[in-house]
Amino acid sequence: MEIAKTEQDADAAHRAAWMSAAAAAGRTSPPAGPPPALKRAVLVGLAAAVLIGGVLLIMPDEGPKAPPAPGPAARALTAVASGAPASLGDVTALITDRADWVRTHPTDAASWAVLGSAYLERGVRGADSSFYPRAEWALRRSLQVRPKDNLDAETGLAALANARHDYASARTLAEGVRARKADRWTLYPALIEAYNGLGDAKSAAQAVEKLLELRGGTAALTQAAEVYREHGWREDASAALDEALGHATSPAQKAATLVAVGDLAWERGEPQAAIAHYDAALRTDPGTHEALAGRARAKVALGQQADAQRDYLAAIAVLPRPEYLLGLGELYESQGLDGDARTWFDKLRELAERDESNGVDDSLVLGRFEADHGAPRTALDRLEAEWKTHPSAAAEDALGWAMYRSGETEEALVHARKATDSGVRDALFSYHQAVIERDLGQFGAARRHFQDTLRTNPYFSPVLAPKANEALAALGEPPEGGPKDMYGYVAAAAEAAASSNAASPPASSPGSTGSSNSSGSASSSSAGSSSNSGPKRPVKPRKQRRRR
């Protein structure tokens, strides 16, 4: 890909770089005419902490170091030392700069790692998986140049595995780096994402604690908020994001945090508040297309379908993520525009095929799509494989729903319960469990989970939210008697006693005292026998433990 290189005066750029480094070290002004060796040391320091868009941090170790090029490439290397993401334009300039550098310096392992990380970030930020093979090539080239202790390249490969949804490989790579250098804070974002993808919330929480111990700031606090959300601790997640906003040091970083705040508001069923945060993100950084997609979803909840379609289309034009295509298709479906919905569902399949050719596993979103809009059996096969390799709460829920849609209702309930027991507060999880319970005749549990669905987020889906309301209305109010008859024991015992009384001989006349006593005794004995040998109160199901 040919990209025009920004031209600026080299001396002025180097002086600006010195000023940035001096300010970070607490200096007020650069010394006049620093020696070349000192200049080089400062420039290396500028590249010593590079966060590529929140996906990966690079901290070059030993080996030849390339000075940052002037202009956008230098910003991508220096402006994010505190964990702030670089802008997409700066990342693009960094790719051009590092590609030019390694052509003439092919043994610079650190620059190969930076190039691979920049390719990865370019792919993630633009939802373009075609950059992933290039990222892998550059990172592996770095390992060829320096096979031992090349932690930059190994961390980069872990982040790449996360981007491809191969969380097991990402965990292996990141844990390998941690085993050799546990205080290397740059490895923890990739490690936390891998644990989240595998549904290992406990390990993710421990990794977040270590990250916060080693490095504060917006990036660490945003990671912490995500883990808190996975635990269902929304108040803690909200507090962490509020603090993260206070630490934001760049428009891109602040906008990304505002999107996370908006997402949390959406999950709480507060579309107006979510839109306010998404709008703030777009004002801060108009290139935050995730905010457009989030705003579209919230506008659907408020009945603003035309505006929602425009936002979805604008987001997809630049950031064609599978979940956005699915959201737009379901919006058209909810309006009865089946032809338009099929168009976007077809595009979703095409996008998944392209991603697959670039090593990306879209099984989770494809499985959800196929279960509701395509072939449930195909979804089941896909999601069983996904669940075995990445047993997260999302995979558990999707697998249970695909089983239900394929007619395996009782086994489906096992997985649905595990998903809702995981701690993740997701209206879709509760809805799936409620539907399965209703079809199994467990009307009390179904009513409770439909209520949970609408209490968590009454707008969770333009297609399913109306169905949840209809189902809850159809179930009506619970029968009189309250929870004492929850397990059917009282009704069963009463029915057994009535059957026993009907089968016993007629009571003697009032004058036959002996017979009356005998009959009463028999009746009492029969009733006691009925309560002991009749239907027992079922054992309450034990809470399922999450699979690790």
Side-chain angles (χ1 to χ4, degrees):
M1 180 175 55
E2 294 298 327
I3 305 173
K5 196 171 180 181
T6 303
E7 297 181 359
Q8 292 185 4
D9 181 79
D11 291 339
H14 287 173
R15 181 174 178 81
W18 170 266
M19 291 287 285
S20 298
R27 298 176 183 268
T28 57
S29 62
L38 183 56
K39 255 189 187 181
R40 181 173 178 79
V42 171
L43 293 175
V44 169
L46 293 174
V50 179
L51 174 59
I52 303 297
V55 174
L56 172 67
L57 283 144
I58 291 292
M59 293 176 61
D61 298 318
E62 294 84 11
K65 305 296 193 303
R75 287 199 300 270
L77 283 172
T78 61
V80 293
S82 65
S87 71
L88 190 58
D90 289 354
V91 171
T92 301
L94 178 59
I95 289 173
T96 303
D97 179 79
R98 293 301 84 183
D100 288 346
W101 175 266
V102 295
R103 286 191 190 99
T104 55
H105 300 79
T107 60
D108 185 349
S111 286
W112 279 113
V114 171
L115 177 60
S117 301
Y119 275 135
L120 170 60
E121 176 59 9
R122 178 63 183 83
V124 170
R125 292 289 295 275
D128 187 350
S129 60
S130 67
F131 283 92
Y132 295 169
R134 284 177 266 185
E136 181 175 7
W137 172 78
L139 292 166
R140 295 200 180 280
R141 180 74 179 109
S142 179
L143 283 171
Q144 289 175 355
V145 173
R146 182 159 32 118
K148 293 184 179 180
D149 296 325
N150 191 342
L151 304 185
D152 295 339
E154 292 176 50
T155 306
L157 287 171
L160 175 61
N162 279 328
R164 286 171 160 168
H165 306 151
D166 183 3
Y167 302 111
S169 296
R171 177 184 61 186
T172 300
L173 286 160
E175 286 182 343
V177 174
R178 184 179 61 180
R180 283 168 287 162
K181 198 171 181 64
D183 61 348
R184 186 183 179 88
W185 71 275
T186 59
L187 73 91
Y188 286 94
L191 185 60
I192 293 165
E193 184 175 353
Y195 284 143
N196 281 338
L198 292 168
D200 190 351
K202 181 179 179 180
S203 295
Q206 293 171 345
V208 161
E209 289 177 6
K210 184 65 174 179
L211 174 60
L212 291 171
E213 175 188 326
L214 294 171
R215 181 83 171 187
T218 299
L221 288 164
T222 303
Q223 289 275 356
E226 175 61 19
V227 173
Y228 298 155
R229 189 192 67 80
E230 287 287 332
H231 276 84
W233 305 336
R234 287 181 173 171
E235 294 76 10
D236 297 282
S238 181
L241 288 173
D242 286 344
E243 188 175 353
L245 276 174
H247 286 277
T249 57
S250 72
Q253 189 179 40
K254 184 177 181 181
T257 308
L258 284 167
V259 169
V261 177
D263 290 345
L264 194 60
W266 163 254
E267 290 179 2
R268 291 196 301 261
E270 301 170 1
Q272 289 281 19
I275 288 174
H277 292 301
Y278 295 138
D279 285 343
L282 289 165
R283 287 194 300 270
T284 303
D285 181 3
T288 309
H289 295 89
E290 296 90 339
L292 280 173
R295 191 172 69 180
R297 182 179 53 188
K299 285 184 174 180
V300 173
L302 298 176
Q304 302 172 17
Q305 281 87 354
D307 287 346
Q309 290 170 15
R310 281 193 293 270
D311 279 348
Y312 264 132
L313 289 169
I316 290 169
V318 180
L319 200 63
R321 290 179 176 168
E323 58 268 31
Y324 298 166
L325 273 67
L326 179 58
L328 180 56
E330 290 187 339
L331 171 57
Y332 284 125
E333 183 182 39
S334 70
Q335 297 174 282
L337 303 172
D338 295 339
D340 292 319
R342 281 195 300 272
T343 296
W344 287 100
F345 292 156
D346 290 342
K347 289 181 182 294
L348 170 59
R349 291 190 178 97
E350 292 170 6
L351 178 61
E353 289 176 2
R354 187 197 72 181
D355 283 351
E356 185 178 6
S357 69
N358 291 315
V360 180
D361 182 3
D362 284 332
S363 292
L364 188 55
V365 66
L366 270 179
R368 285 176 167 170
F369 160 70
E370 293 289 357
D372 281 322
H373 308 285
R377 277 288 169 186
T378 300
L380 179 55
D381 293 340
R382 188 186 299 276
L383 289 168
E384 279 183 331
E386 171 69 13
W387 171 73
K388 287 176 182 177
T389 54
H390 306 129
S392 65
E396 198 89 60
D397 167 73
L399 176 59
W401 187 245
M403 285 181 168
Y404 165 75
R405 296 280 292 168
S406 300
E408 301 178 16
T409 309
E410 292 185 359
E411 190 171 0
L413 184 56
V414 174
H415 291 282
R417 282 175 173 164
K418 287 181 180 179
T420 54
D421 286 347
S422 67
V424 179
R425 295 169 67 182
D426 191 310
L428 185 63
F429 292 6
S430 298
Y431 174 79
H432 286 163
Q433 182 172 352
V435 171
I436 296 168
E437 288 168 336
R438 180 195 60 189
D439 285 12
L440 287 172
Q442 300 178 17
F443 302 121
R447 183 183 296 104
R448 184 169 65 254
H449 286 110
F450 278 127
Q451 290 170 340
D452 286 347
T453 299
L454 298 172
R455 188 180 302 115
T456 301
N457 184 357
Y459 314 104
F460 72 102
S461 164
V463 176
L464 301 179
K467 293 182 179 180
N469 280 289
E470 292 169 6
L472 185 59
L475 286 171
E477 295 297 321
E480 294 182 3
K484 67 182 180 181
D485 199 22
M486 182 181 296
Y487 296 98
Y489 170 75
V490 174
E495 182 179 350
S499 299
S500 176
N501 289 335
S504 60
S508 301
S509 64
S512 305
T513 307
S515 294
S516 175
N517 289 340
S518 176
S519 176
S521 176
S523 175
S524 175
S525 175
S526 175
S529 175
S530 173
S531 64
N532 290 328
S533 61
K536 305 293 185 184
R537 177 171 179 167
V539 177
K540 189 175 181 180
R542 295 174 60 191
K543 183 176 180 180
Q544 298 286 345
R545 293 186 61 192
R546 170 187 279 179
R547 297 185 184 229
R548 299 291 181 193

